[in-house]
């Protein structure tokens, strides 16, 4: 979860680009509230019902510590019209984009 | 007949390299902890430990080549097992960590029993703490292993991710959905539309 700390730290860079960062996991509102408290500038979604994760097709079966399904780390860049402009998934869960990479992708794909 | 200086030289041969190698391996763990505490896990989290681990492995190999001791064999085993598992994307149950840590503690106890020295006493505490921490860290995997008598397959719950094959397409509208924010407020596809653009970041969870 540590990458959320990086996103939080760079929140002004996202705000400057008129981009809000919504972070999603399949946890319940109790855990999501803790995450929200830790990262107040991000918008935290409690997708315990999988409504968003299933729609996005990111559920990763048996990937949780208790063999449960969790979201495969994936990033979608969506413009103000609701159109997907870019998506990213790394080849391994421990390889994550840096905030700088994400900001570069925003500049590249939303400026088009 | 072997002279006293020769015995002393043999006794200390490679000692610096061995100590340096072990310290380097420990440095990797420290780097990981620092990275975690600093919440700076934007690079592959194992990168510092992989680099220092490789250096540790090389140094330990040199030390082993100069003089093989049980200590050095154990240390080299731990470092090489870790690197091999890491490079194979198979860090799913790093039981070798707890095993090598425990073995190291036992060896230190044996060394103390044979001859008490302050250095060995001082060395024992961090090694015991390290072994304890490693058992705690691998506890869940250990229990799962004992229950199933098999290792987790590399993708359960390993690090490799399947390629994205979901319904979302670049250039198309994001699919309809309904979910809730952390405070229970509903969130739907329509909320993504407005003056702001959105970066939607899916992550595993707090664990």
């Amino acid at each position: 979860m540590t990458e959320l700390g990086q996103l939080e730290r760079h929140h002004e860079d996202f705000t400057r680009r008129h981009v809000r960062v919504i972070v999603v996991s399949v946890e319940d509102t109790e855990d999501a509230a803790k995450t929200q408290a830790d990262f107040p500038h991000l918008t935290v979604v409690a997708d315990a019902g999988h409504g968003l994760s299933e729609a996005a097709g990111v559920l990763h079966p048996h990937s949780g510590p208790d063999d449960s399904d969790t979201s495969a780390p994936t990033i979608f860049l969506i413009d103000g019209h609701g159109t997907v402009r870019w998506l990213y998934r790394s080849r391994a869960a421990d390889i994550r984009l840096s905030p700088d990479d994400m900001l570069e992708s925003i500049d590249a794909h939303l400026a088009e | 007949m072997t002279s006293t200086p020769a015995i002393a030289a043999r006794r200390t041969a490679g000692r610096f390299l061995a100590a340096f190698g072990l310290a380097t391996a420990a440095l990797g763990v420290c780097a990981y902890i620092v990275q975690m505490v600093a919440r700076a896990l934007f690079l592959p989290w194992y990168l510092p430990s992989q680099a220092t681990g490789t250096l540790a492995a090389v140094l330990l190999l040199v030390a082993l080549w100069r003089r093989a001791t049980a200590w050095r064999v154990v240390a080299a085993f731990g470092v090489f097992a870790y690197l091999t598992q890491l490079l194979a994307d198979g860090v799913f149950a790093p039981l070798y960590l707890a095993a090598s840590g425990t073995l190291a503690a036992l060896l230190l106890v044996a060394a103390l029993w044979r001859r008490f020295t302050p250095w060995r006493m001082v060395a024992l505490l961090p090694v015991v703490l390290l072994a304890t921490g490693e058992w705690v860290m691998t506890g869940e995997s250990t229990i799962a292993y004992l229950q199933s008598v098999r290792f987790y397959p590399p993708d359960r719950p390993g690090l490799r991710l399947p390629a994205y094959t979901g319904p979302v397409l670049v250039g198309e509208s994001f699919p309809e959905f309904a979910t809730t924010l952390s405070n229970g407020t509903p969130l739907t596809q329509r909320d993504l539309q407005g003056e702001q653009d959105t970066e939607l970041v899916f992550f595993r969870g707090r664990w």
Side-chain angles (χ1 to χ4, degrees):
Chain A
M1 197 177 62
T2 318
E3 78 274 22
L4 299 189
Q6 288 288 311
L7 294 176
E8 172 74 18
R9 200 171 298 166
H10 286 74
H11 73 89
E12 287 181 353
D13 295 321
F14 289 96
T15 303
R16 203 174 299 129
R17 288 165 171 82
H18 304 290
V19 173
R20 63 177 168 177
V21 180
I22 298 179
V23 298
V24 189
S25 75
V26 295
E27 292 171 316
D28 57 21
T29 50
E30 188 179 342
D31 280 330
K34 291 177 189 169
T35 305
Q36 186 66 78
D38 289 341
F39 309 106
H41 293 97
L42 308 179
T43 301
V44 180
V45 168
D47 195 36
H50 298 181
L52 177 50
S53 301
E54 280 184 4
V58 299
L59 277 184
H60 188 191
H62 312 296
S63 57
D66 54 355
D67 214 36
S68 59
D69 300 347
T70 68
S71 303
T74 313
I75 298 171
F76 299 95
L77 179 60
I78 303 161
D79 67 19
H81 301 290
T83 303
V84 179
R85 304 296 291 268
W86 178 70
L87 75 85
Y88 172 82
R89 176 181 288 176
S90 70
R91 64 180 173 80
D94 57 333
I95 298 174
R96 294 154 185 168
L97 286 186
S98 70
D100 287 338
D101 292 332
M102 292 172 69
L103 291 168
E104 276 181 24
S105 75
I106 289 170
D107 293 339
H109 295 93
L110 289 181
E112 289 168 353
Chain B
M1 192 174 73
T2 311
S3 65
T4 305
I7 292 172
R10 187 173 177 279
R11 210 178 263 171
T12 57
R15 184 176 290 176
F16 171 75
L17 288 170
F20 189 37
L22 287 173
T24 310
L27 183 66
V29 177
C30 292
Y32 175 49
I33 292 169
V34 168
Q35 212 176 346
M36 289 286 286
V37 171
R39 290 178 170 171
L41 218 54
F42 51 92
L43 285 175
W45 61 263
Y46 51 79
L47 204 60
S49 60
Q50 190 170 344
T52 55
T54 306
L55 181 59
V58 171
L59 288 168
L60 280 168
L61 264 184
V62 175
L64 266 174
W65 177 68
R66 294 189 65 173
R67 191 162 77 92
T69 66
W71 272 105
R72 292 172 192 180
V73 169
V74 169
F77 167 77
V79 172
F80 275 102
Y82 171 63
L83 285 174
T84 303
Q85 210 173 341
L86 201 61
L87 294 172
D89 276 347
V91 190
F92 41 88
L95 302 179
Y96 61 86
L97 265 180
S100 61
T102 304
L103 188 56
L106 289 175
L107 284 168
L108 260 180
V109 169
L112 264 172
W113 182 70
R114 290 188 68 173
R115 190 163 74 91
F116 182 90
T117 69
W119 184 91
R120 290 175 188 178
M121 195 62 213
V122 169
L124 181 61
L125 181 62
V127 170
V128 167
L129 285 175
L130 181 67
T132 305
E134 288 168 346
W135 276 114
V136 170
M137 193 178 100
T138 60
E140 194 173 314
S141 299
T142 305
I143 291 167
Y145 170 72
L146 292 174
Q147 285 175 340
S148 62
V149 200
R150 63 178 173 79
F151 286 104
Y152 281 120
D155 60 344
R156 275 184 71 213
L159 303 173
R160 196 180 300 280
L161 289 176
Y164 182 77
T165 55
V168 177
L169 297 172
V170 173
E172 302 287 329
S173 293
F174 194 85
E176 289 189 11
F177 66 87
T179 187
T180 56
L181 299 178
S182 60
N183 60 8
T185 305
L187 180 79
T188 67
Q189 181 215 26
R190 294 184 65 179
D191 296 312
L192 299 182
Q193 298 171 24
E195 292 183 1
Q196 282 188 309
D197 302 312
T198 302
E199 190 94 80
L200 201 55
V201 180
F202 287 86
F203 68 105
R204 292 282 198 208
R206 292 182 66 81
W207 51 274

